[in-house]
Amino acid sequence: NAGVTQTPKFQVLKTGQSMTLQCAQDMNHNSMYWYRQDPGMGLRLIYYSASEGTTDKGEVPNGYNVSRLNKREFSLRLESAAPSQTSVYFCASSGLTDTQYFGPGTRLTVL
Amino acid sequence: QQQVKQSPQSLIVQKGGISIINCAYENTAFDYFPWYQQFPGKGPALLIAIRPDVSEKKEGRFTISFNKSAKQFSLHIMDSQPGDSATYFCAASKMSGGSNYKLTFGKGTLLTVNP
């Protein structure tokens, strides 16, 4: 099992460009999450999907959109990137237990 | 509004020593308190977690102590090893429908264990 995979690993964008971060899990988990991690800020929840077909806002949703494509995949889209969105983005998933399993992250720089 | 406050920001411990990281929360509805460990360039991974019906949980060298009345919980790492050097995050959430959808994280503690 690969667990939670994320693509790309690194990305550099110019202000105003758009991009989609991809996440997939092979653990048959119902719930999936997107977090951002900034120095000294911990992890902050952007959006989550409790189950296939549902999505909800987290703590910092502004400037982002998400799609739960199917049970395996949960994507995060930046429509018009801003320097404030420079961060490391983590996808996570959880199943019947309490544990959230995190992917390796995507390091995004917006110039 | 920071709902989970973590201290210290950084901690240096000698090999074999005890590492202690503290967290305090504000929302009395929180009922699930995990600790995550993160190595550089990796995603966080669950280390240990506790629910408020117990005051302590131990797994190997790692122990969570929980004080419901003070709204505080702490991570103790006994016999700290250089391989424990990582960033540690406490978190809290309110279980909903059997799942912890909204984890609120502390800001993290960078632990360095010197050989």
Coordinates of all heavy atoms in Angstrom, one line a residue, chain A residues 31 33 35 37 40-43 45 48 50 57-59 90 94-104, chain B residues 1 9 32 36 38 41-46 51 87 89 95 98-108:
Chain A
S31 N -12.9 9.6 4.8 CA -12.6 11.0 5.0 C -11.3 11.4 4.5 O -10.3 10.7 4.6 CB -12.7 11.3 6.5 OG -14.0 10.9 7.0
Y33 N -8.7 15.2 3.9 CA -8.4 16.5 4.4 C -7.3 17.2 3.6 O -6.4 16.5 3.1 CB -8.0 16.5 5.9 CG -8.8 15.5 6.7 CD1 -8.6 14.2 6.7 CD2 -9.8 16.0 7.5 CE1 -9.3 13.3 7.5 CE2 -10.5 15.2 8.3 CZ -10.3 13.8 8.3 OH -11.0 12.9 9.1
Y35 N -4.5 20.3 4.5 CA -4.0 21.2 5.5 C -2.9 22.1 4.8 O -2.3 21.6 3.8 CB -3.3 20.5 6.6 CG -4.2 19.7 7.5 CD1 -4.6 18.4 7.2 CD2 -4.7 20.3 8.7 CE1 -5.4 17.7 8.1 CE2 -5.5 19.6 9.5 CZ -5.9 18.3 9.2 OH -6.7 17.5 10.1
Q37 N 0.8 24.1 6.1 CA 1.7 24.2 7.2 C 2.7 25.4 6.9 O 3.4 25.4 5.9 CB 2.5 22.9 7.4 CG 3.5 23.0 8.6 CD 4.2 21.7 8.8 OE1 4.4 20.9 8.0 NE2 4.5 21.5 10.1
G40 N 6.0 28.1 12.2 CA 5.5 28.6 13.5 C 4.0 28.7 13.6 O 3.5 29.3 14.5
M41 N 3.3 28.1 12.6 CA 1.8 28.1 12.6 C 1.2 26.8 12.8 O 0.0 26.7 12.9 CB 1.3 28.8 11.3 CG 1.7 30.2 11.2 SD 1.0 31.3 12.4 CE -0.7 31.2 12.0
G42 N 1.9 25.7 12.9 CA 1.3 24.4 12.9 C 0.6 24.1 11.6 O 1.0 24.6 10.6
L43 N -0.3 23.2 11.7 CA -1.1 22.8 10.5 C -2.5 23.4 10.7 O -3.1 23.3 11.7 CB -1.2 21.3 10.4 CG 0.1 20.6 10.1 CD1 0.7 19.9 11.3 CD2 -0.1 19.6 9.0
L45 N -6.4 23.5 8.9 CA -7.3 22.8 8.0 C -7.9 23.7 7.0 O -8.4 24.8 7.3 CB -8.4 22.1 8.8 CG -9.4 21.3 8.1 CD1 -8.7 20.0 7.4 CD2 -10.5 20.8 9.0
Y48 N -12.2 19.8 4.2 CA -12.2 18.4 4.4 C -13.4 17.8 3.7 O -14.4 18.5 3.4 CB -12.2 18.0 5.9 CG -13.4 18.5 6.6 CD1 -14.4 17.5 7.0 CD2 -13.6 19.8 7.1 CE1 -15.6 17.9 7.7 CE2 -14.7 20.1 7.8 CZ -15.7 19.2 8.1 OH -16.8 19.6 8.8
A50 N -15.9 14.6 4.5 CA -16.2 13.5 5.5 C -16.5 12.2 4.7 O -16.3 11.1 5.3 CB -17.4 14.0 6.3
K57 N -15.8 23.5 4.6 CA -14.7 24.4 4.8 C -14.1 24.1 6.2 O -14.7 23.7 7.1 CB -15.2 25.8 4.8 CG -15.7 26.3 3.5 CD -16.3 27.7 3.6 CE -16.8 28.2 2.2 NZ -17.3 29.5 2.3
G58 N -12.7 24.3 6.2 CA -12.0 24.2 7.5 C -11.8 25.6 8.0 O -12.6 26.5 7.9
E59 N -10.6 25.8 8.6 CA -10.2 27.0 9.3 C -9.8 28.1 8.3 O -10.1 29.3 8.5 CB -9.1 26.8 10.2 CG -8.6 27.9 11.0 CD -7.4 27.6 11.9 OE1 -7.0 26.4 12.0 OE2 -6.8 28.5 12.5
F90 N -0.4 19.6 2.9 CA -0.6 18.2 3.2 C -2.0 17.7 3.0 O -2.9 18.4 3.4 CB -0.1 17.9 4.7 CG 1.3 18.1 4.9 CD1 1.8 19.2 5.5 CD2 2.2 17.0 4.6 CE1 3.2 19.3 5.7 CE2 3.5 17.1 4.9 CZ 4.0 18.3 5.4
S94 N -8.6 9.5 6.7 CA -8.9 8.7 7.9 C -10.1 7.8 7.6 O -11.0 8.1 6.8 CB -9.3 9.6 9.1 OG -10.4 10.4 8.9
G95 N -10.1 6.7 8.3 CA -11.1 5.7 8.1 C -12.0 5.5 9.3 O -12.4 6.4 10.0
L96 N -12.1 4.2 9.8 CA -13.0 3.9 10.9 C -12.3 4.3 12.2 O -13.0 4.5 13.2 CB -13.4 2.5 10.9 CG -14.2 2.0 9.6 CD1 -14.5 0.5 9.7 CD2 -15.5 2.8 9.6
T97 N -11.0 4.4 12.3 CA -10.3 4.7 13.5 C -10.1 6.3 13.5 O -10.4 7.0 12.6 CB -9.0 4.0 13.6 OG1 -8.1 4.6 12.6 CG2 -9.1 2.6 13.4
D98 N -9.6 6.7 14.6 CA -9.4 8.2 14.8 C -8.2 8.7 14.0 O -8.1 9.9 13.8 CB -9.1 8.5 16.3 CG -10.2 8.0 17.2 OD1 -11.4 8.0 16.7 OD2 -9.9 7.5 18.3
T99 N -7.3 7.9 13.6 CA -6.0 8.3 13.1 C -6.2 8.9 11.7 O -6.8 8.4 10.8 CB -5.1 7.1 13.0 OG1 -5.0 6.5 14.2 CG2 -3.7 7.6 12.5
Q100 N -5.6 10.1 11.5 CA -5.4 10.7 10.2 C -4.0 10.4 9.7 O -3.0 10.6 10.4 CB -5.6 12.2 10.3 CG -7.1 12.6 10.6 CD -7.4 14.1 10.5 OE1 -6.6 14.8 9.9 NE2 -8.5 14.5 11.0
Y101 N -4.0 9.9 8.5 CA -2.7 9.5 7.8 C -2.4 10.6 6.8 O -3.2 10.9 5.9 CB -2.9 8.2 7.1 CG -3.1 7.0 8.1 CD1 -4.4 6.7 8.5 CD2 -2.0 6.3 8.6 CE1 -4.6 5.6 9.4 CE2 -2.2 5.2 9.5 CZ -3.5 4.9 9.8 OH -3.7 3.9 10.7
F102 N -1.2 11.1 6.9 CA -0.8 12.2 6.1 C 0.1 11.8 4.9 O 0.9 10.8 5.0 CB 0.0 13.2 6.9 CG -0.8 14.1 7.8 CD1 -1.3 13.6 9.0 CD2 -1.1 15.4 7.5 CE1 -2.1 14.4 9.9 CE2 -1.9 16.2 8.3 CZ -2.4 15.7 9.5
G103 N 0.0 12.5 3.8 CA 0.9 12.3 2.7 C 2.2 13.1 2.9 O 2.4 13.7 4.0
P104 N 3.1 13.0 1.9 CA 4.4 13.6 2.1 C 4.5 15.1 1.9 O 5.5 15.7 2.1 CB 5.3 12.8 1.0 CG 4.2 12.5 0.0 CD 3.0 12.2 0.7
Chain B
Q1 N -7.7 33.5 16.9 CA -8.1 32.8 18.1 C -7.4 31.4 18.1 O -7.7 30.6 17.3 CB -9.6 32.6 18.2 CG -10.0 31.8 19.4 CD -11.5 31.5 19.4 OE1 -12.2 31.9 18.4 NE2 -12.0 30.7 20.3
Q9 N 8.5 26.3 22.2 CA 8.6 26.2 20.7 C 9.8 25.3 20.3 O 9.7 24.7 19.3 CB 8.9 27.7 20.2 CG 7.7 28.6 20.1 CD 8.0 29.9 19.4 OE1 9.1 30.5 19.8 NE2 7.2 30.3 18.5
Y32 N -10.8 14.6 22.1 CA -9.8 13.7 21.5 C -8.5 14.5 21.3 O -8.5 15.6 20.8 CB -10.3 13.2 20.1 CG -9.3 12.4 19.3 CD1 -8.9 11.1 19.7 CD2 -8.7 12.9 18.2 CE1 -8.0 10.4 19.0 CE2 -7.8 12.2 17.4 CZ -7.4 10.9 17.8 OH -6.5 10.2 17.1
Y36 N 1.3 14.3 17.2 CA 1.9 13.9 16.0 C 3.3 14.2 16.0 O 3.8 15.2 16.6 CB 1.2 14.6 14.8 CG -0.1 14.0 14.4 CD1 -1.3 14.3 15.1 CD2 -0.2 13.1 13.3 CE1 -2.5 13.7 14.7 CE2 -1.4 12.6 12.9 CZ -2.5 12.8 13.6 OH -3.7 12.3 13.2
Q38 N 6.7 14.7 13.4 CA 7.0 15.1 12.0 C 8.6 15.2 11.9 O 9.2 16.0 12.5 CB 6.4 16.3 11.6 CG 6.6 16.7 10.1 CD 5.9 18.0 9.7 OE1 5.7 18.9 10.4 NE2 5.5 18.0 8.4
G41 N 10.9 17.1 6.0 CA 10.6 16.7 4.7 C 9.5 15.6 4.6 O 9.2 15.1 3.5
K42 N 8.9 15.3 5.7 CA 7.9 14.2 5.8 C 6.6 14.8 6.3 O 6.5 15.9 6.9 CB 8.3 13.1 6.7 CG 9.7 12.5 6.4 CD 9.6 11.7 5.1 CE 10.9 11.0 4.8 NZ 10.9 10.3 3.5
G43 N 5.5 14.0 6.1 CA 4.2 14.4 6.7 C 4.2 14.0 8.1 O 4.9 13.1 8.6
P44 N 3.3 14.6 8.9 CA 3.1 14.2 10.3 C 2.6 12.8 10.4 O 1.9 12.3 9.5 CB 2.1 15.2 10.9 CG 2.1 16.3 9.9 CD 2.4 15.7 8.6
A45 N 2.9 12.1 11.5 CA 2.5 10.8 11.8 C 2.0 10.7 13.2 O 2.6 11.2 14.1 CB 3.6 9.7 11.5
L46 N 0.9 10.0 13.4 CA 0.3 9.9 14.8 C 1.3 9.1 15.7 O 1.8 8.1 15.3 CB -1.0 9.1 14.7 CG -1.7 8.9 16.1 CD1 -2.1 10.3 16.7 CD2 -2.8 8.0 16.0
R51 N -8.1 10.1 25.2 CA -9.4 10.7 25.4 C -9.6 11.1 26.8 O -8.9 10.6 27.7 CB -10.5 9.6 25.0 CG -10.4 9.2 23.6 CD -11.6 8.3 23.2 NE -11.5 7.7 21.9 CZ -11.7 8.4 20.8 NH1 -12.1 9.6 20.8 NH2 -11.5 7.8 19.6
T87 N 9.8 17.4 15.0 CA 8.8 18.4 15.4 C 7.6 17.7 15.9 O 7.1 16.8 15.3 CB 8.5 19.4 14.3 OG1 9.6 20.1 13.9 CG2 7.5 20.4 14.8
F89 N 3.7 17.9 17.4 CA 2.5 18.7 17.4 C 1.4 18.1 18.3 O 1.1 16.9 18.1 CB 1.9 18.9 16.0 CG 2.7 19.6 15.0 CD1 3.5 18.9 14.1 CD2 2.6 21.0 14.9 CE1 4.3 19.6 13.2 CE2 3.4 21.7 14.0 CZ 4.2 21.0 13.1
M95 N -15.1 14.8 18.6 CA -15.6 13.7 17.8 C -17.0 14.0 17.3 O -17.8 14.5 18.1 CB -15.5 12.4 18.6 CG -14.1 12.1 19.0 SD -13.0 11.6 17.7 CE -13.6 10.0 17.2
G98 N -18.5 9.8 15.3 CA -17.4 8.7 15.3 C -16.1 9.1 14.6 O -15.2 8.4 14.6
S99 N -16.1 10.3 14.1 CA -14.9 10.7 13.4 C -14.4 12.1 13.8 O -15.2 12.9 14.3 CB -15.1 10.8 11.9 OG -15.5 9.6 11.3
N100 N -13.1 12.3 13.8 CA -12.5 13.6 14.2 C -12.2 14.4 13.0 O -11.0 14.5 12.6 CB -11.3 13.3 15.1 CG -10.2 12.5 14.3 OD1 -10.5 11.7 13.5 ND2 -9.0 12.8 14.6
Y101 N -13.2 15.1 12.4 CA -12.9 15.8 11.2 C -12.1 17.0 11.3 O -11.3 17.3 10.5 CB -14.3 16.1 10.6 CG -15.2 15.0 10.3 CD1 -16.5 15.0 10.7 CD2 -14.7 13.9 9.6 CE1 -17.3 13.9 10.4 CE2 -15.5 12.8 9.3 CZ -16.8 12.8 9.7 OH -17.6 11.7 9.4
K102 N -12.2 17.7 12.4 CA -11.6 19.0 12.5 C -10.5 19.0 13.6 O -10.8 19.4 14.7 CB -12.6 20.1 12.8 CG -13.5 20.4 11.6 CD -14.4 21.6 11.8 CE -15.2 22.0 10.6 NZ -16.0 23.2 10.8
L103 N -9.3 18.6 13.3 CA -8.2 18.6 14.2 C -7.7 20.1 14.3 O -7.4 20.7 13.2 CB -7.1 17.7 13.8 CG -7.2 16.2 14.1 CD1 -6.0 15.5 13.5 CD2 -7.2 16.0 15.6
T104 N -7.6 20.6 15.5 CA -6.9 21.9 15.7 C -5.6 21.6 16.3 O -5.4 21.0 17.3 CB -7.7 22.8 16.7 OG1 -9.0 23.0 16.1 CG2 -7.1 24.1 16.9
F105 N -4.5 22.1 15.6 CA -3.2 21.8 16.0 C -2.5 22.9 16.8 O -2.8 24.1 16.5 CB -2.3 21.6 14.7 CG -2.5 20.2 14.1 CD1 -3.5 20.0 13.2 CD2 -1.6 19.2 14.4 CE1 -3.7 18.8 12.6 CE2 -1.8 17.9 13.8 CZ -2.8 17.7 12.9
G106 N -1.6 22.6 17.7 CA -0.7 23.5 18.3 C 0.3 23.9 17.2 O 0.4 23.3 16.1
K107 N 1.2 24.9 17.6 CA 2.1 25.4 16.6 C 3.4 24.6 16.5 O 4.2 24.9 15.6 CB 2.5 26.9 17.0 CG 1.3 27.8 16.8 CD 1.7 29.3 17.0 CE 0.5 30.2 16.7 NZ 0.9 31.6 16.8
G108 N 3.6 23.6 17.3 CA 4.7 22.7 17.2 C 5.8 23.0 18.1 O 6.1 24.1 18.5

